[in-house]
């Protein structure tokens, strides 16, 4: 528990309510609720999520990268959180499991981009798991810039006096409740510009009981918690005229046989979902089976974060709102040619194919991208001769009018 932060919060900040509020200011919240496959969220009654969905939309989505390729990503909690935060799959962010042993902080997370551009804006993390702030956002990691959110409330799971660990994980339920209420109170009174809320209890019930009434009950509890967050957001919108967006998603599905496990690449373990009140959701959101990596660039777009081009070239996700020129890039190397295929959307402008034969970015360096092809928008297939460009990795970026598509090609 972060007593200092909470004391400061109660001691001073409540008094400043609203003084600096400006109409139309953009504010974003994203929530990860743990381990709920799409088929289950669609089956259980969730009136809270339904309210939010009505203002924006619901879509099935996925985690796990592209199965069988270099982006294949374990369907494990912290791995999924970091894919959301960085907009990249595990081959880049390097968080392979919940140990978070060696994150590659060269792939910046959303908080870091936001803080760099808007040092005076307020960020917040409310979480039933401490590592989300300390290791993933990176407040305890020098290489992540030691970025400390302005408001944070977490670490209660380490207080075994106040929250003795019981087999039924009721202590996690109690923590989720307090995390939710704190998040709702801070949103209502302080309106952080970018907030992350993480709730865990659903996954505990999934592990213990699998597909069961207990699991469904946990989802309904979660739904009521989301409603409390949504009410706080609605309160701000109504009373302060701020422009709020909220995204709720999950970090992985569960196995088909029992619903108790996850981590693998089965369809149900990869199957997730996104609920949001966002305006301007595109066809890719509704029909493209978007990935958890798409949420970060979508939030960046909403918050007007200008990501430098060389960092944009590394982001795997694309925006779920507004115009897109293409989606679903596949890349393959055969006999010294790279074969690219994607799904064109808007046929305006050109498609430029950039290739870097190095990966210095991974270690903090820069890569020189070479323009190897320019083709009219609407093109869906290109093949490129790389016989004169020997390399152990090719990083490919297709630059389209409205978005970039990225892929790594590694010779066998
Ligand atoms: Zn999880």
């Amino acid at each position: 528990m972060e007593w200092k932060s909470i004391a400061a919060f109660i001691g001073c900040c409540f008094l400043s309510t609203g003084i600096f509020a400006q109409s139309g200011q953009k504010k974003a919240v994203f929530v990860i609720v743990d381990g709920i496959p799409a088929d289950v969220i669609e089956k259980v009654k969730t009136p809270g999520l339904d309210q939010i969905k009505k203002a924006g939309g619901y879509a099935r989505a996925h985690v796990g990268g592209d199965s069988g390729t270099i982006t294949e990503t374990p369907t494990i909690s912290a791995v999924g959180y970091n894919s959301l935060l960085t907009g990249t799959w595990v081959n880049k962010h390097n968080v392979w499991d919940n140990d978070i042993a060696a994150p590659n902080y060269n792939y910046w997370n959303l908080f870091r981009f936001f803080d760099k551009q808007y040092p005076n804006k307020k960020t917040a993390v409310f979480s039933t798991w401490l590592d989300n702030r300390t290791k993933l956002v990176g407040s305890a990691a020098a290489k992540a810039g030691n970025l400390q959110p302005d408001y944070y409330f977490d670490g209660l799971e380490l207080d075994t006096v106040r929250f003795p660990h019981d087999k039924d994980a009721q202590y996690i339920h109690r923590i989720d409740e307090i995390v939710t209420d704190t998040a709702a109170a801070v949103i209502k009174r302080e309106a952080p510009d970018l907030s992350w809320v993480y709730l865990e209890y659903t996954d505990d019930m999934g592990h213990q009981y699998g597909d069961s009434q207990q699991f469904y009950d946990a989802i309904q509890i979660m739904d009521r918690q989301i409603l409390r967050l949504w009410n706080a957001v609605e309160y701000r919108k109504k009373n302060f005229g701020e422009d709020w967006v909220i995204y709720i998603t999950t970090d992985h599905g569960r196995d088909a046989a029992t619903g108790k496990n996850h981590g693998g690449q089965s369809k149900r373990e990869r199957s997730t979902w996104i609920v949001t009140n966002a305006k301007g959701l595109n066809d890719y959101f509704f029909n493209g089976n978007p990935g958890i990596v798409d949420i970060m660039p979508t939030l960046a777009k909403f918050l007007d974060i200008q990501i430098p081009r060389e960092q944009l070239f590394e982001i795997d996700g694309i925006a779920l709102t507004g115009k897109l020129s293409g989606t679903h890039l596949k890349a393959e190397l055969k006999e010294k040619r790279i074969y690219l295929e994607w799904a064109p959307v808007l046929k305006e402008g050109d498609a430029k194919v950039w290739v870097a034969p190095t990966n210095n970015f991974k270690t903090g360096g820069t890569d020189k991208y070479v323009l190897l092809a320019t083709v009219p928008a609407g093109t869906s297939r290109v093949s490129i001769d790389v016989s004169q460009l020997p390399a152990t990795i090719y990083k490919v970026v297709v630059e389209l009018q409205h978005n970039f598509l990225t892929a790594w090609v590694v010779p066998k």
Side-chain angles (χ1 to χ4, degrees):
M1 159 95 82
E2 239 337 303
W3 290 107
K4 201 175 111 205
S5 138
I6 296 311
F9 165 61
I10 292 167
C12 78
C13 306
F14 272 31
L15 302 173
S16 69
T17 300
I19 290 170
F20 301 108
Q22 275 174 21
S23 185
Q25 264 191 10
K26 290 183 172 185
K27 311 267 183 178
V29 189
F30 63 96
V31 188
I32 299 176
V33 293
D34 207 308
I36 306 168
D39 65 284
V40 178
I41 205 75
E42 289 168 12
K43 186 165 72 179
V44 176
K45 280 208 171 68
T46 51
L49 288 173
D50 289 350
Q51 281 191 34
I52 300 171
K53 186 185 347 184
K54 221 177 284 168
Y58 167 90
R60 282 201 171 203
H62 75 280
V63 293
D66 283 335
S67 289
T69 75
I70 195 164
T71 65
E72 183 176 303
T73 297
T75 55
I76 293 174
S77 302
V79 184
Y81 314 156
N82 212 37
S83 285
L84 192 160
L85 288 174
T86 61
T88 71
W89 297 114
V90 74
N91 55 307
K92 293 178 183 169
H93 70 60
N94 207 43
V95 169
W96 290 88
D97 55 34
N98 294 335
D99 291 345
I100 316 181
N104 189 335
Y105 294 114
N106 292 313
Y107 299 92
W108 283 24
N109 65 60
L110 181 65
F111 284 91
R112 198 168 178 186
F113 281 116
F114 186 74
D115 191 66
K116 174 101 193 285
Q117 184 168 340
Y118 301 111
N120 297 321
K121 290 198 179 187
K122 305 290 187 216
T123 56
V125 173
F126 310 96
S127 171
T128 300
W129 199 43
L130 177 67
D131 290 0
N132 284 338
R133 171 173 59 88
T134 53
K135 296 185 180 176
L136 296 182
V137 172
S139 65
K143 284 182 180 165
N146 288 125
L147 177 72
Q148 190 68 279
D150 296 278
Y151 305 100
Y152 54 94
F153 186 76
D154 53 20
L156 275 69
E157 74 276 16
L158 303 179
D159 183 351
T160 52
V161 174
R162 197 170 155 209
F163 300 97
H165 292 197
D166 59 315
K167 208 170 87 259
D168 258 350
Q170 285 309 299
Y171 76 102
I172 291 292
H173 163 58
R174 287 172 54 216
I175 293 172
D176 276 359
E177 288 283 291
I178 298 170
V179 165
T180 300
D181 289 336
T182 305
V186 174
I187 288 170
K188 212 170 159 187
R189 294 181 184 243
E190 302 300 325
D193 300 283
L194 171 62
S195 302
W196 176 15
V197 181
Y198 166 71
L199 303 174
E200 180 185 315
Y201 183 61
T202 44
D203 189 56
D204 292 322
M205 291 300 96
H207 280 296
Q208 196 154 342
Y209 298 105
D211 294 297
S212 61
Q213 194 55 49
Q214 288 92 331
F215 185 41
Y216 305 152
D217 290 347
I219 290 165
Q220 296 202 300
I221 290 170
M222 172 279 289
D223 185 65
R224 292 193 287 273
Q225 290 161 342
I226 297 295
L227 187 56
R228 305 211 292 273
L229 298 175
W230 176 238
N231 286 339
V233 164
E234 289 279 73
Y235 171 86
R236 290 301 306 190
K237 283 163 63 182
K238 206 168 291 168
N239 291 285
F240 297 88
E242 293 153 353
D243 183 8
W244 282 81
V245 78
I246 184 168
Y247 284 82
I248 303 104
T249 193
T250 191
D251 53 340
H252 51 79
R254 318 196 73 82
D255 73 292
T258 66
K260 288 187 174 175
N261 307 308
H262 59 86
Q265 286 289 315
S266 72
K267 192 170 168 222
R268 196 177 186 225
E269 287 168 285
R270 293 171 52 80
S271 157
T272 62
W273 49 272
I274 302 169
V275 168
T276 176
N277 71 328
K279 300 288 175 221
L281 292 163
N282 54 33
D283 182 63
Y284 172 69
F285 172 80
F286 288 107
N287 301 307
N289 190 29
I292 196 167
V293 295
D294 296 321
I295 294 172
M296 182 272 211
T298 309
L299 286 170
K301 185 175 183 175
F302 176 80
L303 294 167
D304 299 316
I305 300 174
Q306 306 300 319
I307 298 176
R309 187 175 168 88
E310 70 171 35
Q311 284 170 298
L312 262 184
F313 268 24
E314 299 289 340
I315 292 174
D316 294 322
I318 55 178
L320 300 169
T321 54
K323 289 181 176 180
L324 291 173
S325 302
T327 63
H328 298 99
L329 175 66
K330 303 262 179 260
E332 203 183 354
L333 184 71
K334 271 191 272 182
E335 289 158 10
K336 301 193 174 158
R337 288 190 84 82
I338 293 174
Y339 291 82
L340 300 173
E341 193 176 343
W342 66 90
V345 182
L346 289 176
K347 296 171 177 131
E348 308 160 355
D350 289 330
K352 294 191 173 95
V353 179
W354 298 90
V355 176
T358 55
N359 192 11
N360 301 322
F361 186 94
K362 183 183 170 181
T363 49
T366 53
D367 299 295
K368 193 171 181 308
Y369 281 83
V370 188
L371 181 61
L372 290 187
T374 303
V375 295
T379 303
S380 62
R381 281 200 182 97
V382 175
S383 86
I384 296 159
D385 180 359
V386 288
S387 59
Q388 303 307 309
L389 203 64
T392 54
I393 185 170
Y394 297 99
K395 297 198 297 185
V396 179
V397 176
V398 179
E399 180 181 6
L400 302 161
Q401 179 147 341
H402 297 293
N403 62 292
F404 295 166
L405 300 171
T406 65
W408 279 8
V409 181
V410 179
K412 290 193 175 107

